[in-house]
Structure formats: C-alpha cells, structure tokens
Amino acid sequence: MIPDKAPKDDVFHGAEEIRSGAHVPTFEKYKEMYMQSVQDPDKFWGDMAKEFFWKTKHNGRFLDYNFDVTKGDIFIKCMEGASTNVCYNVLDRNVHDRKLGDKVAFFWEGNEPGDELTVTYRELLNSVCRFANVLKSQGVKKGDRVAIYMPMVVELVVAMLACARIGAVHSIVFAGFSAESLCERIVDSQCSLLITADGFYRGDKLINLKLLADEAVQKCRDKGFSLETCIVLKHLSKEAPETSLSSPPAKRPCPDLQETETGRVRKTHPVPQVPWNPKVDKCWHTLMCEVSDECEPEWCASEDPLFILYTSGSTGKPKGVLHTISGYMIYTAATFKLVFDHRPDDIYWCTADIGWITGHSYITYGPLANGATSVLFEGLPTYPDVSRMWQIVDKYHVSKFYTAPTAIRLLMKYGSEPVHKYKRDSLKVLGTVGEPINPEAWQWYFTVVGDSRCPIVDTFWQTETGGHVMTPLPAATPMKPGSATFPFFGVVPAILNESGEELEGTSEGYLVFKQPWPGVMRTVYGNHGRFESTYFKKFPGYYVTGDGCRRDEDGYYWITGRIDDMLNVSGHLLSTAEVESALVGHEAVAEAAVVGRPHPVKGESLYCFVTLCDGVIFNRTLEAQLKKQVREKIGAIATPDFIQDAPALPKTRSGKIMRRVLRKIASGERDLGDISTLADSSVVEQLFQNRCCSAV
Ligand code: PRX
C-alpha cells in the first residue's frame, strides 16, 4: 500500500536542515514505523502511552473493536482497565514531572494589536484548578455535560481543561453559531451549565455573545429544558491585558458585569451592555475569587467521555461526535509531535478556532500534551490589515504554522508584498487543514510564505477521526501539491468502488478505513444507531469517511471532496439539508434545494434555489429576509451567497430533486450529461435564464 520507494520526480521537499534531529527523518523510517504500527498496534501505541501517567494500568489488548455491523454492535475500546486524567497529563505532568512550570503555554494575541497575555504552564494549571473548583461549587459532577460558548481567549482553554479535570464532558459550540444552534446542542446533550463571555470583536465587528447566550437559554426553556447556571467571563471589559491569569485572587477585580458600562474600554472599541439575570448568571471572576487553587484530578476510566463536538449531519440534524479519554489523548499527542515534528523550542501557531475540532486537537490537547508553546489568536487574518498573520509570525518567532486553504487563498489575493514586509525566517513547517488545497494555493504557500524552505503538511482528517489520518511527515514525505500523501501510523485506508470492492493501484472511489486508531470517535452522543448507520452501514467492515479519493501511480492519496450532501464552505462542513430546512422554515418558501458553487476563496459558496408559495413575489426584501433566516437558524457561516427564485425544481419522475443538474446551473455549466430521467426538462432552461451571475 505504501510504495517501496518515494518518487523522485515532480515532488517537493523542504530544506535539508529539517531532517536533522527530526522524529521521522526519512521515507524509509516512515515506512518501517508504519509497518510496525499496523502489524503490531498494541506495541506501537503501548510505547506511545508510556509517556503518560496512568493511575491504573490497562489489562488486555490496547485496542479492541468491531468495525463490521453484520457481526454485531460497532465498538472501539482503547486501554480497557486503565484510569487516568487528561488534564493531569497535559498540565500537572508538565509542571511537576517535566519541570516545565515556567515554560509559556500560550502567547495570547487579541483581536486588537497590542492586546496580549502570556500564560505559563504553572499559571494555566493554577487557573484550571481554580475553575475546576468553581464548576464543582456549581454542582457539576463527573459525567455531566457542560456547554461552552466563548471567544478565543485563554479562559476557553481553562474551561475545557477544568471540565476534563473533574471528569465533566465539555461540549463547545463555536461562537459564530446562532442562539438557535446553541440551544439545539445544549438540549441534545442535556448540558447542566453554560459558560460564555460578555462579547468579543471580530475585526471591527462586535459580537454580543451574552445576548445570544441569553436567547439560547430562553429557547431551551421554551423547549422545556431548564439550564440553571450561566457563568459569564468579562472579556471585553476586563482589566489591563497584562493582568496575568495567575494574579493572586485578591488582586483580580471581581466587579459585577453591570458595572462594566463605565469599566475599562479596550482601545477604540466600546464595551457592550450586558443584561444580567442574577438567578442564572454568575460572574466568572467573582467565582474564581471564592475558591482554592488546589483540585485533585478525578481519575477516569480510559473509555469515559472527554468531550462532545457537534458536526453537520447529512440529514440536517447535527451529530454529537463523542471522543473518549485515553485514545484521544494519545492520538492527538502523537500526531502533533510527529506531523509538526515538534521540538522543545518551537513556537507553534494554529489559526483555527477552538470551537472546531482543529482547535480541540491542535490548540489544546495535542500541543499541551507535548509541553509546547503556542500562539492563541483571537482575531482575523485581515485585521487591521492583511499583513497581520506575518506580523504575528515575526513577533513570536513562530516556527510551526497551521492554517486553512481558505485563509491562504484569501491572503493570496493581496499578492506577496504584505507577506514580504515581514521576515518569517523562524518558520520551519507549514500546515493546512479543512479542505483540499488547490495546487496554486499550495505553491503560493510554499514559495511566498515559506520561501521554498518549509515543507507543507496537508493534513486530511475529520471531527470524527479526532486527529490527522492522512498526512505527509515534514522531513520524511516528498510532497505533491494538493495531495494529503499517505496514512498516519496505525491508519489503514482503502478505496472502494460502488459495490464495496477494494480497488488496487491507480484508482478512484470512496475513502474508507479498515481498522481503528486510538483517536477515532466512539459514538454519536445519545444515538449509537446513527453512528452505525452513518459510518459503517454502507460498506460493512469499514469506517466510511464520506469523502472521495484518488490514488495515483506513485500510491499518493488525493482527497477529491465530499460525496454526500455536505458542503465545505471555508473549511467548515455544512449540511445542505440543514440550510434547506432553515429556508423552508420561512412562511414564503414552499421548497428549497441548496448546492455548492465553486468559490475562489471559500472553496464552495452556498447557492440556494427556492420555490415560493403561491402568490408570493420574489424580491430583494424577501431575499434579505431569507438570508437572515438562515443566519439566525444556523449562524453566519451558513449565510447563503445566492438565492434564486425557482418556479419549479428539476425532479425525476419519482420526485427526487436532481442536485447534479442544480450544481451545473449554479456554476453556469451547460453540459448537463444525461437528463433523460427528468420529469419536465423545460424547468432547466427556465432556471438557466434566471441564474444569479454576480460574483460573490
Ligand atoms: O471533506 C474533508 C474535509 O473536511 C472534512 C471534515 O470536516 P470537519 O469534520 O469539519 O473537520 C475539519 C478539520 C479536520 C473531511 O471529510 N477535509 C479536511 N481536511 C482536508 C479535507 N479535504 C481535503 N484535504 C484535507 N487536508
């Protein structure tokens, strides 16, 4: 499966010096380790597990599983019998055993240049223990679910690790999601407490998070679910940024949020007014002042849940992907170390938001497990100007940089001048994630950002996989622009045709995995049947990714994109069904069909066809209302780019919408292929005539 020799032609390498001291220095070493990892996973992962602290050791096999629905329930179990605590492993172990207490865990860089905070491992541990005690004081117990809806601040990491410390299960909802989406997630996982913040700025735009959180709490109540407590961090109105997290509690200000109107104004921006319901709302800072900074970790079983993270589902209802403790911890630690070739003096920066899996695995758990120093960035790549990323790279001497193709394409539009304003000579490895990277963007990233010196790790993975599953290793793998190259250790990919047969050699089909790795999801929270039917039913014996894939003559894997009804907008998966249901929720809409249209920066944009109810006229006002409707139901990331009035939709005689045809109409491609199964082909011409053409 892995080629005997790496190809010599048409491939790229990073500078030679990357090899010296690398964890996996050559392709031969990668192959050797890969064979060990799949032939004897117990030994391979068992060795990785030795780095961590185990309160009790595991008994039996390292990984036990059933991937075949025809043989019984699907299950994956890692290190049964062992007990540990993730928070202990990523903080106490670093502070006490590895003597990294004074090492910086995070350089926090705010939205506004000049807003910054440095947090050491000791300070982080101190705050996490304190907040773990806060959670306990609010009645949170092991196994309880805690919703977190916060901006990119260090306290978000504190909140998640405090949950992990007491065995509570965090469910983070990206702060760009709507109140409705937050409510849906709180109710689905029956969270007992919500942690949020007053608000934050994205560039110039104020996001009044507390108002959205309040709306979500009210919506929960309307659905008969009562959330008793909401802890609110004063972020926008907090004291001087240099106030360290570890300042003695007595010196930390604990004013009530209502006082913040007159409080400190950050730079040029006003602080929002925050409504306050004393029955539900509690001030983060006040609570932190009331508790001790000592908190014994809760020793949890290997397969106890660590967190739930919702991802779009093709039926429209988001799925609560559940990850468990030991396997996820070991896998994110191992992938971080090897894929970024982590060294102790690295400064690492992942630009993702912690509200997505990339932030969970590669801002919080993976880097901290390795004792890494990271930049945690609150802002935008284009604020206050399009050089911001490179200014930050130079400011902190970032050596490993991880971002998304959509950010690269966005910055590419402004040319190389804003990049060349900064030296970037600290950079050693560049990474991408979230969607296929087009070769032009890859080349720009490689030559302009990395000065043709830094290898690019194009990491393919999913919320469900917990960590990277297909990726180059920076010193070992010759790169091909746009290919995620080869499997990570322990991962066994296959390409299947429609009948479920494994294809050999050069081929294209469904990307599946034949056996588990420690970090793979364990279930869909509260719905194991949905887990089995989504990932294991189509091809019994395999985990089905939902992505298409091609293998070339050199054995390289190329992800070709989703093959289900999911769209990838700016690296975020969206379900067409979810957007359609939001549109149909508007009284004027009888039917809706949503497809992706290629977009130069976002990858895909949302193109919506709506059939209106009898007598309703399509106009700009309605279009604006529909966009607002989707934004409010799902969030700004799902705002439609195009809405087209569709008096009728192209359907087969059995009434199925032909999305393939709609995709062609959306992108203006006249070559429709076989449309003989259409019930009424005149619909197509009508839709072509009314297409929305304007550039987004
Ligand atoms: O379609 C693939 C695409 O993103 C999907 C997973 O999305 P999500 O669960 O939101 O996680 C994103 C961050 C891990 C995949 O099914 N995808 C992710 N990375 C790549 C990719 N497609 C191609 N190349 C990648 N490197």
Side-chain angles (χ1 to χ4, degrees):
M1 180 206 325
I2 309 289
D4 287 342
K5 280 208 166 61
K8 290 216 164 48
D9 302 327
D10 299 329
V11 292
F12 289 77
H13 299 269
E16 189 54 36
E17 69 239 28
I18 188 85
R19 291 186 178 221
S20 127
H23 296 298
V24 186
T26 61
F27 194 67
E28 283 60 43
K29 182 70 185 165
Y30 159 69
K31 264 191 339 188
E32 182 193 319
M33 287 173 69
Y34 180 78
M35 292 320 285
Q36 287 166 358
S37 74
V38 293
Q39 282 164 0
D40 192 355
D42 285 24
K43 158 106 182 54
F44 186 87
W45 294 115
D47 285 347
M48 299 270 175
K50 284 183 189 146
E51 306 239 330
F52 296 96
F53 175 80
W54 306 96
K55 187 75 176 170
T56 56
K57 301 253 177 295
H58 76 285
N59 43 47
R61 301 201 56 183
F62 190 90
L63 268 172
D64 193 11
Y65 70 100
N66 173 39
F67 256 27
D68 190 343
V69 267
T70 63
K71 295 190 177 143
D73 292 347
I74 300 293
F75 73 90
I76 303 110
K77 287 181 180 159
C78 181
M79 300 187 74
E80 274 233 287
S83 59
T84 189
N85 182 282
V86 180
C87 178
Y88 182 91
N89 274 292
V90 305
L91 294 182
D92 308 56
R93 185 176 60 99
N94 282 325
V95 172
H96 302 306
D97 306 350
R98 304 174 75 198
K99 309 284 176 243
L100 297 178
D102 294 328
K103 188 171 178 185
V104 173
F106 290 109
F107 288 115
W108 179 76
E109 170 83 11
N111 177 64
E112 212 55 56
D115 246 359
E116 57 190 48
L117 187 69
T118 298
V119 183
T120 65
Y121 272 87
R122 184 174 293 104
E123 289 168 334
L124 192 58
L125 172 61
N126 183 289
S127 298
V128 167
C129 286
R130 211 175 262 289
F131 197 65
N133 285 329
V134 165
L135 290 176
K136 285 202 220 168
S137 76
Q138 300 304 305
V140 179
K141 298 181 303 301
K142 182 177 179 204
D144 287 352
R145 275 81 51 215
V146 172
I148 304 179
Y149 187 55
M150 290 177 86
M152 284 287 284
V153 290
V154 178
E155 286 86 348
L156 168 53
V157 179
V158 170
M160 62 203 293
L161 293 179
C163 288
R165 192 162 190 91
I166 64 169
V169 182
H170 57 74
S171 172
I172 302 182
V173 180
F174 170 57
F177 274 125
S178 64
E180 175 94 27
S181 295
L182 173 61
C183 159
E184 189 179 12
R185 286 156 175 77
I186 290 175
V187 174
D188 187 75
S189 49
Q190 304 274 296
C191 294
S192 59
L193 183 140
L194 170 66
I195 307 166
T196 190
D198 46 0
F200 64 101
Y201 276 91
R202 273 182 74 69
D204 272 328
K205 192 167 168 226
L206 170 67
I207 313 291
N208 204 327
L209 207 60
K210 175 66 166 48
L211 282 186
L212 294 167
D214 283 353
E215 205 183 317
V217 171
Q218 183 55 47
K219 281 176 190 290
C220 290
R221 231 172 263 142
D222 296 344
K223 292 187 179 180
F225 182 79
S226 150
L227 194 122
E228 307 291 332
T229 311
C230 178
I231 300 180
V232 186
L233 174 82
K234 237 167 33 110
H235 169 49
L236 286 182
S237 48
K238 78 178 173 201
E239 295 299 298
E242 63 274 13
T243 308
S244 155
L245 280 176
S246 71
S247 307
K251 286 200 203 145
R252 272 188 80 83
C254 309
D256 190 76
L257 268 168
Q258 279 162 326
E259 292 169 22
T260 61
E261 261 172 82
T262 52
R264 189 187 167 85
V265 175
R266 286 162 86 84
K267 298 280 150 90
T268 52
H269 292 312
V271 171
Q273 287 206 6
V274 175
W276 198 255
N277 173 359
K279 284 209 188 97
V280 179
D281 298 329
K282 305 265 163 78
C283 172
W284 169 294
H285 312 270
T286 310
L287 294 173
M288 287 288 263
C289 294
E290 291 166 354
V291 292
S292 111
D293 59 3
E294 276 175 29
C295 176
E296 178 66 10
E298 182 79 35
W299 301 108
C300 301
S302 260
E303 283 300 331
D304 279 347
L306 176 62
F307 67 84
I308 299 165
L309 181 59
Y310 285 83
T311 184
S312 300
S314 54
T315 58
K317 186 174 156 41
K319 302 178 289 250
V321 170
L322 185 108
H323 284 285
T324 54
I325 290 178
S326 300
Y328 177 83
M329 175 175 78
I330 293 168
Y331 197 70
T332 51
T335 43
F336 177 78
K337 176 175 171 182
L338 301 177
V339 173
F340 296 108
D341 191 31
H342 178 66
R343 321 274 177 105
D345 54 355
D346 271 341
I347 306 293
Y348 162 83
W349 180 20
C350 167
T351 67
D353 192 290
I354 292 180
W356 305 105
I357 190 69
T358 306
H360 280 60
S361 301
Y362 299 113
I363 294 180
T364 301
Y365 291 107
L368 292 178
N370 282 276
T373 297
S374 301
V375 174
L376 180 66
F377 179 45
E378 184 191 24
L380 293 175
T382 48
Y383 181 84
D385 61 55
V386 295
S387 285
R388 185 77 191 273
M389 304 276 239
W390 323 120
Q391 181 251 326
I392 295 175
V393 165
D394 277 7
K395 175 175 175 183
Y396 296 104
H397 306 287
V398 171
S399 51
K400 312 281 163 82
F401 178 71
Y402 194 28
T403 194
T406 184
I408 298 165
R409 289 192 297 260
L410 173 69
L411 296 175
M412 229 174 114
K413 284 202 313 191
Y414 300 95
S416 53
E417 197 264 339
V419 187
H420 287 157
K421 263 169 73 181
Y422 293 92
K423 293 209 300 280
R424 294 157 287 105
D425 54 354
S426 53
L427 287 172
K428 292 202 167 73
V429 175
L430 304 174
T432 75
V433 58
E435 55 181 310
I437 180 164
N438 47 314
E440 302 72 41
W442 193 101
Q443 291 283 2
W444 190 81
Y445 198 26
F446 184 71
T447 52
V448 178
V449 176
D451 289 328
S452 304
R453 187 170 37 79
C454 308
I456 295 180
V457 287
D458 175 356
T459 60
F460 166 81
W461 59 296
Q462 308 176 300
T463 306
E464 295 87 335
T465 66
H468 308 138
V469 281
M470 308 286 290
T471 176
L473 299 181
T477 316
M479 301 164 287
K480 291 195 184 190
S483 166
T485 71
F486 301 110
F488 187 73
F489 303 120
V491 174
V492 185
I495 298 181
L496 305 185
N497 64 15
E498 191 59 49
S499 338
E501 290 153 350
E502 279 190 33
L503 303 174
E504 300 297 331
T506 314
S507 47
E508 183 162 348
Y510 293 88
L511 176 67
V512 298
F513 296 116
K514 295 167 76 160
Q515 62 186 50
W517 53 95
V520 68
M521 72 184 283
R522 302 303 198 254
T523 191
V524 169
Y525 185 78
N527 196 345
H528 197 66
R530 189 168 179 206
F531 171 59
E532 296 186 331
S533 61
T534 308
Y535 304 100
F536 295 94
K537 201 162 138 210
K538 187 169 173 68
F539 300 120
Y542 301 95
Y543 166 90
V544 181
T545 59
D547 283 292
C549 183
R550 177 168 72 80
R551 191 167 39 220
D552 72 13
E553 58 288 357
D554 294 319
Y556 279 63
Y557 290 84
W558 301 73
I559 310 298
T560 53
R562 299 296 303 185
I563 38 187
D564 49 13
D565 289 332
M566 304 286 255
L567 299 179
N568 194 324
V569 178
S570 301
H572 304 311
L573 277 194
L574 289 174
S575 131
T576 51
E578 199 178 0
V579 181
E580 284 160 9
S581 120
L583 288 167
V584 177
H586 190 285
E587 57 189 11
V589 178
E591 194 170 23
V594 176
V595 295
R597 165 167 155 168
H599 185 281
V601 173
K602 300 201 250 183
E604 280 186 294
S605 55
L606 286 172
Y607 195 109
C608 311
F609 295 87
V610 290
T611 305
L612 302 179
C613 298
D614 266 358
V616 181
I617 311 280
F618 187 84
N619 56 26
R620 290 258 169 222
T621 316
L622 178 60
E623 189 182 346
Q625 273 177 19
L626 293 177
K627 288 189 177 178
K628 184 161 171 271
Q629 165 98 0
V630 180
R631 228 184 0 256
E632 284 178 1
K633 286 263 172 206
I634 306 175
I637 49 163
T639 310
D641 298 277
F642 301 97
I643 301 187
Q644 177 174 346
D645 179 18
L649 292 169
K651 292 185 182 168
T652 60
R653 284 184 193 90
S654 61
K656 200 168 180 312
I657 297 172
M658 285 184 81
R659 287 169 191 282
R660 176 175 66 77
V661 171
L662 289 177
R663 273 193 286 272
K664 297 263 178 160
I665 296 169
S667 51
E669 277 178 60
R670 283 276 174 177
D671 176 14
L672 296 179
D674 179 13
I675 52 166
S676 57
T677 53
L678 271 182
D680 174 6
S681 56
S682 69
V683 169
V684 173
E685 192 44 42
Q686 209 178 5
L687 291 178
F688 262 119
Q689 276 172 16
N690 294 340
R691 278 188 66 236
C692 314
C693 299
S694 57
V696 188

